Amino acid sequence: MKHLWLAVAVVLATSLASASDGANVRPLAGPREGVVPTVVKPDLHPGAAVTIEPGRVFEVPLRFEFPHEEFGKLKRYEETTDEQEPQGCEIQYDPNVGGGALAPNQGVNFNGLGQNGWIPYDAAIAVGPTHVLDMTNAQFGIYTRAGVNVSTVQFATWWGTAAGTPFDPKCFYDRVAGRFVMLATSVGNGLANMYLSVSQTSDPTGPWWNYTFDWRLDGTTMTGNWGDYPGLGYNDNAIFINTNQYTISSNSYRYSKVRVLSKAQLYSGSPATYTDFIDLRNADGTSAFTVKPARCLSPSASEYLLNTRSGGGKSVTLWRIDNAPSSPTLTRVATVSVGSYAVPPDARQPGTGVLIATNDCRTQDVVWRNGFVYTGFNVRAGSNKRSYVSAIRYLKISSTGAIDKNITYTASGIHMYYPAVTADASNNMFMTFSRSSSSEYASMYRTGMLATETTIQPSALVKAGAASNTSGRWGDYSGVDNDPLDDSDVWMYAGWANTSNRWATWNAATSFGTPPSAPQKPVAAAESRTFALKGNYPNPFNPSTTIYYSVPQDMHVRLTVYNLLGQEVATLLNETVNAGEHQTTFVADNYPSGLYFYRLEAGTNVSIGRMVLMK
């Protein structure tokens, strides 16, 4: 019975297969020989010189890249007729229109990358045990967790420009494996490349493996297509990348695509093979545009993906990939009715009649945790065209497609756009987004929802905008990442308008408890906040690793280790401990290499982590 918790998880995962509304998509295997990486290391100096490319200040394609069947649904602000508020969802108004300091709490925060000639900025963040990685279009920066920039690198230097300068960046930190992963896409000179970089350790200032994949290949079949607006997700064993595919010759939309890669290959610098799924379709036969794979923040052998209707609609589609990376299968789990949503108006700002582009309702990034998918995306709110604003639709959906939260978050006369959403180990939701109005420049905000509550909390100002953005184009997306040292902390990364027609970005560590003020590697002297399993370090490890956790009061604690079969292989702790921060070392001299789980029990609290032994 000691591995009942894992057995139950297996049964639940198996039962999901019967919850599908169909649409298994045939996989296309890529070249057998795989892609061989190069090795590169960032220059360790801050503020590297930026070269602005002549005539290439805007990411392309510009504005709205719809599948043809969606285009007719697009209604811009000037074209709309009077309609009612969104139907079929809960509408919640942000009471904090003044921008006070509310929840979640903010700790260390600092300026990120600045405009390098590219519009939009496209913010992505990955947080490791010693560094923070920021990405915007055509550049990335490495910072200490206290905010000191140690390196700024241009994509043209890092990945090259054979297919034009890479853009649309995404990244994450895999705290189980202790690896940073970066992604970008490019098109030019008749070529279309997908770039993927993997750090060789948990230190992003060290060496990386750089992979260059050909986006034109669907499996091994050559096409004339390239990939735009990628998403980057992962589960226990694989990495998943989606794009919207366009023709290189005319930028005409073709179909959606998901590429599946092996973590084991990428994390060891081995030749990387892949499997593609193409032309994903919603249940009504329309193209499943912008199918975003989730970052699985709790253990999962399955991967979950979600797509909205970019031009507005009444449903979203939930997908699942099983048996990755060796024999992946893609299943459309459910068409989830969420009530109506429509393309938002562009956002007002002071000092100019130019509106900030809020784009459409396409899927923003997705996370999966403890059986639920979390996301947010841009929608329209207001009772008629004179009061329309850009608002945020927040969704929390179970792995089987059941709605847990379906909320339109808005404020009268204020525009909210480009949300990034995640959840901590206690299932508290965190969100960052951009905001502007006729009296407020484009600014960065934060909000969230406690797992025990049903209302999104009043928003709090992170960084105030200081000038108009007369280019019109702004985001396309913001970034969040969970802290690998304390799973109750979340880092947020988004833009703010710093000077006329210039954007900048900002980093902020947040928590519903006490946020980090001087982040560093976990130590026993750190302040206790709550029950939390804070991960292990190093990870991967050989032969020993230290597991960090905290308890809010004196209580009995049991810490055990299980193998991949769910069999208990070690009891590290089974006694009463004092309130506060603790650490326990696991020595694995006599254990084989592989994935292990550790389980912390304290009173009625239970949390599970993952670690990889590599001998």
Side-chain angles (χ1 to χ4, degrees):
M1 297 296 290
K2 291 181 179 179
H3 55 275
L4 178 61
W5 61 273
L6 186 59
V8 170
V10 172
V11 170
L12 288 175
T14 303
S15 68
L16 288 178
S18 63
S20 167
D21 66 359
N24 290 310
V25 181
R26 182 171 59 89
L28 304 172
R32 292 182 179 180
E33 63 272 18
V35 173
V36 178
T38 58
V39 177
V40 66
K41 185 175 180 180
D43 292 331
L44 297 183
H45 59 84
V50 176
T51 300
I52 299 177
E53 299 173 65
R56 182 60 186 254
V57 294
F58 282 91
E59 174 192 335
V60 292
L62 300 179
R63 300 183 71 82
F64 309 105
E65 306 94 14
F66 284 103
H68 64 86
E69 63 267 26
E70 292 278 324
F71 188 81
K73 298 179 181 179
L74 176 61
K75 297 178 181 179
R76 298 307 302 159
Y77 179 74
E78 298 81 5
E79 301 167 340
T80 53
T81 57
D82 288 1
E83 296 182 12
Q84 298 300 309
E85 292 276 16
Q87 303 295 310
C89 68
E90 182 179 357
I91 299 176
Q92 295 183 3
Y93 288 88
D94 180 2
N96 179 32
V97 295
L102 298 175
N105 303 310
Q106 180 172 295
V108 63
N109 62 101
F110 52 88
N111 209 3
L113 295 167
Q115 184 166 325
N116 58 342
W118 278 70
I119 303 172
Y121 50 80
D122 292 354
I125 184 174
V127 180
T130 58
H131 293 86
V132 175
L133 174 71
D134 287 350
M135 300 184 77
T136 63
N137 269 321
Q139 62 184 339
F140 69 88
I142 300 173
Y143 300 80
T144 69
R145 288 171 56 104
V148 178
N149 179 261
V150 297
S151 182
T152 300
V153 181
Q154 303 306 307
F155 291 176
T157 302
W158 189 256
W159 283 307
T161 58
T165 301
F167 60 96
D168 273 359
K170 291 292 181 182
C171 58
F172 65 80
Y173 179 74
D174 187 336
R175 68 178 186 178
V176 173
R179 302 298 175 89
F180 285 89
V181 177
M182 296 192 296
L183 168 73
T185 190
S186 71
V187 58
N189 305 318
L191 303 175
N193 289 338
M194 179 196 95
Y195 301 100
L196 197 67
S197 294
V198 179
S199 66
Q200 296 187 19
T201 69
S202 62
D203 182 357
T205 67
W208 293 64
W209 286 298
N210 271 2
Y211 291 89
T212 301
F213 297 88
D214 194 334
W215 261 141
R216 297 173 299 171
L217 289 174
D218 288 348
T220 56
T221 300
M222 180 60 70
T223 73
N225 303 328
W226 70 280
D228 182 47
Y229 201 72
L232 177 64
Y234 63 91
N235 67 4
D236 292 352
N237 304 310
I239 287 175
F240 306 84
I241 299 168
N242 82 286
T243 62
N244 301 317
Q245 295 292 107
Y246 295 85
T247 59
I248 296 174
S249 59
S250 63
N251 274 339
S252 299
Y253 176 75
R254 294 297 309 283
Y255 45 76
S256 57
K257 178 174 180 175
V258 177
R259 180 161 286 182
V260 182
L261 300 107
S262 166
K263 272 189 180 181
Q265 292 176 346
L266 295 170
Y267 288 5
S268 62
S270 301
T273 58
Y274 59 83
T275 300
D276 287 338
F277 295 95
I278 66 168
D279 199 15
L280 282 65
R281 296 271 163 177
N282 298 309
D284 62 2
T286 57
S287 180
F289 190 67
T290 312
V291 184
K292 286 292 184 76
R295 288 180 286 120
C296 290
L297 302 179
S298 55
S300 179
S302 296
E303 169 67 8
Y304 296 89
L305 309 93
L306 188 81
N307 68 276
T308 62
R309 302 294 184 114
S310 55
K314 297 182 179 180
S315 65
V316 300
T317 304
L318 179 67
W319 305 78
R320 189 186 69 247
I321 294 179
D322 298 305
N323 305 315
S326 58
S327 303
T329 59
L330 174 65
T331 302
R332 190 173 63 227
V333 175
T335 299
V336 184
S337 178
V338 297
S340 63
Y341 55 92
V343 171
D346 288 338
R348 299 178 183 89
Q349 57 180 329
T352 178
V354 176
L355 302 177
I356 294 175
T358 59
N359 287 357
D360 48 51
C361 304
R362 73 183 60 193
T363 325
Q364 300 289 303
D365 285 343
V366 176
V367 300
W368 180 90
R369 185 159 216 164
N370 300 328
F372 290 93
V373 167
Y374 297 79
T375 195
F377 57 98
N378 302 334
V379 297
R380 186 181 69 204
S383 58
N384 59 65
K385 67 180 180 181
R386 288 174 294 278
S387 66
Y388 285 156
V389 293
S390 178
I392 294 168
R393 180 66 69 90
Y394 164 59
L395 296 177
K396 179 183 177 184
I397 299 173
S398 77
S399 298
T400 57
I403 293 177
D404 184 88
K405 296 291 186 299
N406 180 17
I407 299 169
T408 294
Y409 186 62
T410 186
S412 178
I414 294 176
H415 297 268
M416 304 174 178
Y417 38 98
Y418 302 125
V421 174
T422 192
D424 67 12
S426 300
N427 299 322
N428 302 314
M429 184 272 285
F430 292 72
M431 180 193 299
T432 188
F433 59 93
S434 293
R435 191 178 106 166
S436 67
S437 69
S438 58
S439 60
E440 180 180 27
Y441 299 115
S443 304
M444 177 182 175
Y445 277 78
R446 68 185 189 274
T447 188
M449 177 190 290
L450 292 170
T452 55
E453 297 180 345
T454 58
T455 303
I456 298 177
Q457 298 201 356
S459 65
L461 177 67
V462 176
K463 184 63 178 178
S468 302
N469 182 337
T470 55
S471 72
R473 194 88 185 265
W474 184 242
D476 287 355
Y477 46 86
S478 305
V480 291
D481 197 23
N482 296 66
D483 196 317
L485 303 186
D486 189 334
D487 214 351
S488 64
D489 295 339
V490 166
W491 290 67
M492 301 178 175
Y493 185 53
W496 60 286
N498 65 340
T499 58
S500 180
N501 202 31
R502 304 284 293 182
W503 55 258
T505 57
W506 200 263
N507 295 270
T510 65
S511 175
F512 282 104
T514 303
S517 56
Q520 53 187 298
K521 289 185 181 180
V523 293
E527 180 186 0
S528 175
R529 295 193 272 278
T530 183
F531 169 83
L533 182 58
K534 301 185 177 184
N536 64 295
Y537 186 86
N539 195 10
F541 68 97
N542 179 27
S544 65
T545 186
T546 301
I547 300 170
Y548 299 87
Y549 63 95
S550 65
V551 292
Q553 61 193 40
D554 296 356
M555 58 197 315
H556 188 270
V557 171
R558 177 176 166 84
L559 180 61
T560 48
V561 178
Y562 298 82
N563 62 20
L564 193 56
L565 298 177
Q567 300 166 328
E568 183 178 322
V569 298
T571 298
L572 305 182
L573 189 67
N574 190 13
E575 61 186 53
T576 298
V577 301
N578 297 328
E581 301 280 334
H582 297 274
Q583 60 189 61
T584 300
T585 298
F586 174 47
V587 179
D589 287 322
N590 299 321
Y591 295 86
S593 298
L595 177 66
Y596 290 85
F597 300 89
Y598 49 97
R599 186 174 194 261
L600 178 68
E601 302 172 68
T604 59
N605 299 298
V606 177
S607 188
I608 298 170
R610 296 170 292 176
M611 54 188 171
V612 177
L613 174 60
M614 297 181 65
K615 291 186 174 181

